[in-house]
């Protein structure tokens, strides 16, 4: 069985493309990295534990994609340009076919965004994966959670609730209708909205990525910005599968409270909205206006029948009609 050093040589040392700003990469005590002048370093970490965050038998290639995707999603939500990643991995044994599948998913996504693997740690133990990404952002233009103001429009990227519906189907709680392969893809291979985040800088000061559901994550913006928000449920972007689910069950909690979509929710000040709407056709993902920032301290939602839902940051039952 391969030792730690061989694993590093074989799977991590030259896994990704070389960047000029990596003065020294995998192989020494530290990596030496050059941050561009005038830019701040944006840094974010996530740890995924087998049994908690993913099934121990999860497909390794999808897992390699997802651990990096959820981290890149945090950079996207800051408006940062991804550059470097570190990988701390603990494995019960040196399973080379698992590792090569995992690294295939990981490096495919890394190369799409020009991200270089610059270091990490490899140990034996229960399967756990820790990823830290680093990127660059102009500190005065970063998309912060505390920057929403009353009157701003609230926008989301992509569609909401697909990943949550895929999970519900997988757990046997619902029998999905329509394109299940598409739903599974949305759960297993979320697409970090990196390009959108960077394009938002001239228009937005405030964004968060949706990992815990639109209501909860917009709730973080409200809390940190000291504002409220009203969402119009009939304007939420929904796939036909999610629409069918809501028609059948009356349950709006799926697009409001289900996590794992990794779309962005962001605000645009009123005087920037016309200019912003002019560039929508040039973005690589659809963007939809779903509400407005108002005075207050939390988000609420208006259902299509006019009913006001006051507790959108809370769970499932509150949304059953
Ligand atoms: P040290 O004993 O100094 O911590 P290691 O033997 O743990 O060094 O690691 C040797 C080199 O390999 C270091 O540059 C480290 O960053 C890199 N490395 C170890 N594991 C990984 C990994 N999973 N992914 C990327 N780089 C790794
Ligand atoms: Mg080490």
């Amino acid at each position: 069985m391969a030792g730690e050093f061989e694993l590093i040589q074989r799977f991590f040392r030259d896994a990704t493309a070389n960047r000029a700003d990596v003065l020294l990469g995998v192989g020494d005590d530290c990596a030496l990295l050059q941050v561009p002048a005038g830019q701040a370093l944006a840094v974010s970490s996530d740890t995924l534990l087998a049994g908690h965050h993913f099934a121990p038998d999860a497909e390794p290639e999808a897992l390699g994609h997802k651990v990096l995707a959820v981290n890149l999603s945090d950079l996207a939500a800051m408006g940062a340009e991804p550059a470097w990643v570190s990988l701390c991995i603990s494995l019960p044994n040196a399973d080379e076919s698992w590792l090569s599948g995992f690294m295939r998913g990981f490096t495919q996504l890394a190369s799409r965004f020009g991200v270089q693997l610059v270091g990490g740690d490899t140990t034996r133990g229960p399967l756990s994966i820790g990823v830290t990404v680093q990127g660059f952002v102009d500190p005065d233009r970063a998309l912060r959670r505390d920057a929403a103001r009353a009157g701003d429009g609230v926008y989301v990227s992509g569609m909401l609730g697909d990943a949550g519906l895929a999970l519900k189907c997988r757990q046997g709680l619902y029998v999905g209708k329509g394109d299940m392969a598409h739903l599974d893809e949305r759960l297993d291979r979320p697409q970090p909205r990196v390009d959108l985040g960077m394009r938002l800088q001239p228009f937005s000061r405030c964004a968060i990525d949706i990992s815990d559901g639109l209501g909860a994550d917009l709730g973080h913006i409200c809390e940190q910005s000291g504002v409220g928000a009203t969402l119009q449920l009939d304007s939420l972007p929904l796939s036909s599968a999610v629409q069918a689910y809501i028609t059948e069950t009356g349950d709006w909690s799926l697009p409001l409270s289900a996590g794992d979509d990794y779309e962005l929710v962001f605000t645009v000040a009123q005087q920037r909205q016309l200019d912003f709407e002019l560039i929508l056709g040039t973005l690589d993902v659809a963007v939809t206006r779903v509400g407005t920032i108002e005075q207050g301290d939390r988000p609420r939602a208006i259902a299509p029948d006019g009913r006001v839902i006051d507790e959108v940051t809370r769970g499932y039952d509150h949304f059953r009609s």
Side-chain angles (χ1 to χ4, degrees):
M1 198 152 73
E4 176 192 334
F5 187 70
E6 287 166 74
L7 289 181
I8 295 171
Q9 287 293 326
R10 170 143 175 229
F11 291 105
F12 307 125
R13 190 178 176 112
D14 299 307
T16 49
N18 288 318
R19 293 174 58 99
D21 52 18
V22 178
L23 310 180
L24 195 55
V26 169
D28 212 310
D29 300 312
C30 292
L32 296 178
L33 309 170
Q34 187 78 58
V35 182
Q39 299 279 87
L41 196 59
V43 183
S44 178
S45 304
D46 272 301
T47 302
L48 299 188
L49 295 176
H52 282 267
H53 302 103
F54 60 91
D57 62 351
E59 209 237 307
E61 190 173 333
L63 200 56
H65 174 98
K66 190 159 176 174
V67 292
L68 182 56
V70 303
N71 274 273
L72 290 176
S73 178
D74 285 316
L75 287 183
M78 217 64 203
E81 177 190 349
W84 310 312
V85 61
S86 316
L87 173 63
C88 293
I89 190 160
S90 153
L91 295 164
N93 52 56
D95 181 341
E96 299 194 16
S97 92
W98 189 94
L99 262 175
S100 66
F102 175 85
M103 286 308 287
R104 211 177 314 124
F106 187 94
T107 52
Q108 250 173 32
L109 187 60
S111 40
R112 231 176 80 203
F113 292 106
V115 170
Q116 184 170 342
L117 180 63
V118 295
D121 200 25
T122 307
T123 53
R124 184 191 285 250
L127 180 57
S128 104
I129 304 157
V131 171
T132 298
V133 287
Q134 299 181 298
F136 312 136
V137 68
D138 177 339
D140 298 323
R141 298 183 141 240
L143 307 174
R144 301 166 53 124
R145 296 180 182 185
D146 62 5
R149 301 290 175 261
D152 293 356
V154 178
Y155 295 77
V156 298
S157 65
M159 305 231 179
L160 301 178
D162 287 340
L165 186 58
L167 190 62
K168 214 179 256 296
C169 294
R170 222 172 269 182
Q171 291 168 336
L173 299 172
Y174 180 75
V175 179
K177 284 143 204 81
D179 190 349
M180 293 309 297
H182 168 74
L183 290 185
D184 283 333
E185 182 81 4
R186 295 273 293 152
L187 177 61
D188 294 332
R189 291 180 188 263
Q191 299 302 315
R193 302 304 185 190
V194 168
D195 298 304
L196 174 63
M198 291 168 62
R199 296 281 310 276
L200 284 180
Q201 283 186 4
F203 307 101
S204 178
R205 291 274 76 86
C206 174
I208 188 169
D209 65 325
I210 304 180
S211 54
D212 296 330
L214 172 63
D217 288 314
L218 182 58
H220 294 311
I221 285 181
C222 288
E223 203 179 308
Q224 295 196 26
S225 298
V227 296
T230 296
L231 294 167
Q232 303 292 340
L233 293 188
D234 58 5
S235 53
L236 295 188
L238 306 175
S239 65
S240 54
V242 171
Q243 272 170 29
Y245 170 84
I246 293 173
T247 306
E248 198 180 317
T249 63
D251 175 18
W252 281 97
S253 75
L254 198 59
L256 277 175
S257 320
D260 277 329
D261 281 322
Y262 296 99
E263 296 297 347
L264 296 185
V265 51
F266 56 95
T267 68
V268 179
Q270 216 161 16
Q271 66 271 23
R272 298 298 287 137
Q273 284 166 15
L274 277 180
D275 283 342
F276 177 58
E277 277 160 23
L278 286 178
I279 70 148
L280 293 188
T282 70
L283 299 173
D284 66 355
V285 61
V287 159
T288 309
R289 178 158 181 182
V290 295
T292 305
I293 299 290
E294 292 166 350
Q295 294 191 345
D297 59 3
R298 70 181 73 140
R300 56 183 200 142
I302 314 279
D305 62 9
R307 188 166 51 102
V308 177
I309 301 173
D310 266 315
E311 285 291 349
V312 300
T313 58
R314 262 203 228 148
Y316 192 80
D317 287 338
H318 298 267
F319 308 113
R320 289 224 171 251
S321 54

